[in-house]
Amino acid sequence: MDFQVSARKWRPQKFSELIGQEHIVRTLSNAIAMDRVSHAFLFSGTRGVGKTTTARILARVLNCETGPTVDPCGTCSLCREITAGNCIDVQEIDGASNNGVAEARDLIDNVQYATSSARYKIYIIDEVHMLSKSAFNALLKTLEEPPPRVVFIFATTELIKIPETILSRCQCFEFKPLSNAQITKQLALICGQEKIQIDEKGLVEISKIGAGSMRDAQSLLDQVIAYSGKKVDTDSVEAVLGIVGGTTLELFAQRLIQREPSELITVVQDVVNQGKDLHLFCQSVMEYLRNLLMVKVSSSPETLLNAQTCNLEILKKQAKEFHADELQQMFTILSRAEMEMKNTSLPQMVFEMAILKLTETRPFKKIDDLIRKINQAESNVQSIRPSPPPPSLSPPSSPPRSAADSFDPAAWIKIRQEVSRQRPDFDHYLDKCQPLAPNEKEIQLAFADSFTLEMVKTLENRKFIEDVVRSVSGHEVRVTLKLDAAADSPAAASEPKKKTTNDGGENRQKTESEIIQDALDIFGGIVVK
Ligand SMILES: [Zn+2]
């Protein structure tokens, strides 16, 4: 078997072959040229961006028989030994499994001995953040007064866990995540050399999922090649990576234009049934919305689109159907959902709820309209409550029956502001509830659907909302969570509220809820219904 994984086979062997870390290469090269090599380096950055690779190159740079040189020969015995990982003077240590003080002491003892054949004795410690506190302490003295010709190279994905005392004794380099373009270019190069036929669309998809990590992208490429052989088409890329293709996204956007909640949910279910990754689908929809926005705001959007899988003509046509601020609202809703999906055992439900919310977005209203409406709302509140008391949870006694249960809009606005300040993720649950105050001591939150009610009912959420209500009202209040009897129908949960135009002739309850909504429009910043 001569199969070698791409990440290993195509590992850069020289500084000039490193991708995306030019700032580091330049600094290191200058240090070598001026013979001012630090005795301790710390390389930090996300996985698969070249930290260990750079450490090995640096080992060759320092120890090559023709060196120290920024361009090691690659053929001398030391270069070859270092590349093969069996050079006795270049030790690679896994910090995760050698993290105790005993291992650190062994290392320090070993440091004292002269090199056997190389110029420098080099210790590459990977995952160095895993060392125990006492192991770090044991290392400190050696780092302070290292024996001559000893170089430590530490690598970590978690810079924050490295003690300040260590950081201050190292020359630190931060490795950047690679851009999709950099990864795509490298994958194209590998495929060219390996005689793999694949189009750019496929490479772009792989790069995107690699998310800045060259190593991850290369192993995804290996998987795709293992699946389809030397001829790779976009379908097999999508199948292996579990991603949803452009056609599905176009269809999804079309359903969004038509505001068809049930059709949108059907698309989601199809995606799940095909075994695709819902989380990736959410990200793809976000990207699609972004592309629609770019098409909307730019006269030459071609260069701004970040997925070659999009059909520009269709994008242009669909973009006309959305307002720019609607697209932004939708993007915000999905980015919230995307975060929540990571922390729940029910990601599909979270995603579906978010999608239903997408169909309820509306363009922002003009600020003049809002001011006019809020003035109107204030005078309406005055008429319900002739002498307004300081913010309290319920209106004064003897109001009309329908208003008896209603809730002071000012207090509700304060509650919403406090909720969105403390827990932006929680805020949208309250979009689906009607606040009621049957008496001074109680507030009832009536939710439009049972899913939202259940989410809010969890112990943690329940305590949170109770605390906020108490802190806003300033006294003990009982918070009751219930299902809104009026809204408790499947239609209410799955369809946007269709506002009719007969604004004036509704009953008192309707007027009140509209007042709250108008106020929310201004103070909450986003019009969601
Ligand atoms: Zn050499």
Side-chain angles (χ1 to χ4, degrees):
M1 291 289 284
D2 62 349
F3 176 77
Q4 208 180 359
V5 293
S6 297
R8 188 175 303 164
K9 188 168 177 185
W10 293 93
R11 191 192 277 276
Q13 303 294 336
K14 294 176 177 185
F15 281 152
S16 56
E17 293 168 7
L18 267 177
I19 293 166
Q21 313 298 348
E22 289 75 14
H23 58 302
I24 292 169
V25 166
R26 187 192 296 182
T27 315
L28 287 176
S29 302
N30 286 343
I32 304 295
M34 294 189 292
D35 195 20
R36 292 171 62 91
V37 179
S38 168
H39 64 268
F41 296 90
L42 182 88
F43 294 169
S44 64
T46 178
R47 50 193 251 119
V49 292
K51 299 183 297 295
T52 320
T53 299
T54 306
R56 287 185 194 153
I57 296 177
L58 185 57
R60 266 195 302 275
V61 160
L62 293 173
N63 279 340
C64 174
E65 282 167 17
T66 70
T69 168
V70 291
D71 193 19
C73 73
T75 51
C76 70
S77 60
L78 277 162
C79 275
R80 279 187 284 121
E81 280 172 24
I82 295 171
T83 306
N86 53 22
C87 176
I88 197 162
D89 292 318
V90 176
Q91 295 212 12
E92 273 191 46
I93 298 158
D94 173 19
S97 49
N98 299 285
N99 56 359
V101 69
E103 285 90 354
R105 293 226 169 91
D106 283 352
L107 190 149
I108 292 158
D109 289 344
N110 185 285
V111 163
Q112 312 303 327
Y113 300 111
T115 56
S116 64
S117 57
R119 201 173 293 114
Y120 287 93
K121 201 162 186 150
I122 295 172
Y123 295 90
I124 300 171
I125 307 186
D126 215 355
E127 307 284 358
V128 71
H129 59 271
M130 300 292 278
L131 293 197
S132 66
K133 199 166 171 242
S134 44
F136 272 126
N137 283 337
L139 267 180
L140 263 187
K141 202 170 149 32
T142 311
L143 280 182
E144 239 160 34
E145 295 166 28
R149 307 257 167 212
V150 167
V151 174
F152 288 96
I153 308 174
F154 302 128
T156 181
T157 48
E158 297 187 53
L159 186 60
I160 199 152
K161 292 188 181 165
I162 310 295
E164 185 55 40
T165 45
I166 298 285
L167 291 179
S168 64
R169 286 166 177 80
C170 295
Q171 192 174 4
C172 300
F173 291 98
E174 261 188 78
F175 284 63
K176 293 187 228 162
L178 302 177
S179 69
N180 288 349
Q182 285 167 331
I183 297 178
T184 306
K185 196 173 156 202
Q186 179 67 5
L187 296 185
L189 186 98
I190 294 173
C191 290
Q193 298 279 329
E194 302 278 349
K195 311 253 183 297
I196 307 290
Q197 277 184 42
I198 181 169
D199 61 10
E200 201 189 347
K201 274 185 192 179
L203 293 179
V204 169
E205 292 296 355
I206 294 172
S207 308
K208 278 193 320 203
I209 298 187
S213 165
M214 184 67 86
R215 186 169 62 227
D216 288 0
Q218 287 177 345
S219 58
L220 288 170
L221 177 65
D222 287 343
Q223 284 176 39
V224 170
I225 295 169
Y227 175 84
S228 49
K230 296 231 164 193
K231 257 183 117 169
V232 183
D233 57 28
T234 313
D235 284 348
S236 41
V237 172
E238 287 170 358
V240 173
L241 304 182
I243 49 178
V244 172
T247 348
T248 307
L249 291 168
E250 283 157 16
L251 176 71
F252 188 86
Q254 204 53 41
R255 298 286 182 250
L256 208 49
I257 290 166
Q258 294 155 348
R259 307 269 167 179
E260 287 177 5
S262 58
E263 297 289 331
L264 283 163
I265 299 293
T266 308
V267 177
V268 175
Q269 279 163 355
D270 286 347
V271 166
V272 172
N273 292 342
Q274 287 164 30
K276 302 283 169 90
D277 185 320
L278 210 50
H279 202 250
L280 287 178
F281 180 55
C282 180
Q283 290 174 353
S284 302
V285 175
M286 286 168 71
E287 188 169 40
Y288 198 85
L289 292 174
R290 178 206 173 270
N291 285 341
L292 284 170
L293 189 59
M294 292 302 128
V295 169
K296 211 162 176 62
V297 298
S298 169
S299 52
S300 52
E302 292 81 354
T303 52
L304 301 173
L305 302 182
N306 53 359
Q308 271 76 348
T309 44
C310 292
N311 179 320
L312 187 59
E313 287 317 305
I314 294 180
L315 275 178
K316 280 182 178 166
K317 216 168 125 199
Q318 292 184 333
K320 287 196 187 114
E321 305 290 330
F322 293 98
H323 283 267
D325 52 50
E326 266 181 307
L327 290 168
Q328 283 173 327
Q329 290 168 45
M330 289 176 177
F331 190 91
T332 308
I333 291 168
L334 286 182
S335 71
R336 228 181 233 176
E338 199 246 345
M339 278 203 302
E340 283 175 30
M341 284 164 78
K342 291 177 192 161
N343 302 318
T344 172
S345 52
L346 304 167
Q348 185 175 345
M349 290 193 198
V350 171
F351 189 46
E352 285 173 350
M353 290 304 125
I355 283 169
L356 296 181
K357 237 169 120 64
L358 295 185
T359 63
E360 297 174 10
T361 52
R362 296 288 179 270
F364 287 126
K365 291 171 188 163
K366 294 266 188 315
I367 191 74
D368 292 350
D369 286 350
L370 288 174
I371 291 170
R372 193 174 45 73
K373 277 204 159 189
I374 197 79
N375 287 338
Q376 174 97 45
E378 269 176 11
S379 61
N380 284 352
V381 170
Q382 298 279 348
S383 69
I384 295 171
R385 197 180 51 206
S387 56
S392 91
L393 296 177
S394 66
S397 53
S398 312
R401 201 208 156 279
S402 57
D405 280 0
S406 68
F407 188 85
D408 178 5
W412 183 239
I413 289 166
K414 279 190 179 172
I415 290 170
R416 292 294 301 260
Q417 283 175 329
E418 193 54 25
V419 164
S420 93
R421 191 181 65 79
Q422 291 187 30
R423 290 253 321 259
D425 64 301
F426 189 90
D427 188 42
H428 71 275
Y429 293 135
L430 299 186
D431 292 344
K432 299 215 165 188
C433 95
Q434 179 79 18
L436 305 166
N439 58 59
E440 286 277 346
K441 297 267 168 63
E442 184 178 4
I443 135 165
Q444 295 180 346
L445 301 180
F447 288 87
D449 64 88
S450 53
F451 174 80
T452 312
L453 176 64
E454 289 308 315
M455 293 300 274
V456 177
K457 259 188 173 173
T458 62
L459 200 59
E460 185 197 359
N461 286 343
R462 190 186 182 95
K463 184 169 174 336
F464 167 70
I465 187 68
E466 284 174 355
D467 288 348
V468 172
V469 170
R470 265 180 221 128
S471 76
V472 170
S473 64
H475 59 270
E476 269 306 307
V477 182
R478 194 153 62 88
V479 180
T480 312
L481 307 174
K482 64 175 196 176
L483 204 56
D484 191 341
D488 184 24
S489 68
S494 62
E495 273 178 28
K497 287 200 179 82
K498 292 194 180 73
K499 275 190 184 164
T500 47
T501 47
N502 55 339
D503 277 326
E506 293 282 316
N507 60 24
R508 178 65 71 192
Q509 184 72 36
K510 168 91 189 246
T511 313
E512 184 80 340
S513 81
E514 282 189 358
I515 293 167
I516 293 171
Q517 191 53 54
D518 289 338
L520 276 179
D521 288 348
I522 291 177
F523 293 103
I526 289 180
V527 183
V528 291
K529 284 175 188 169

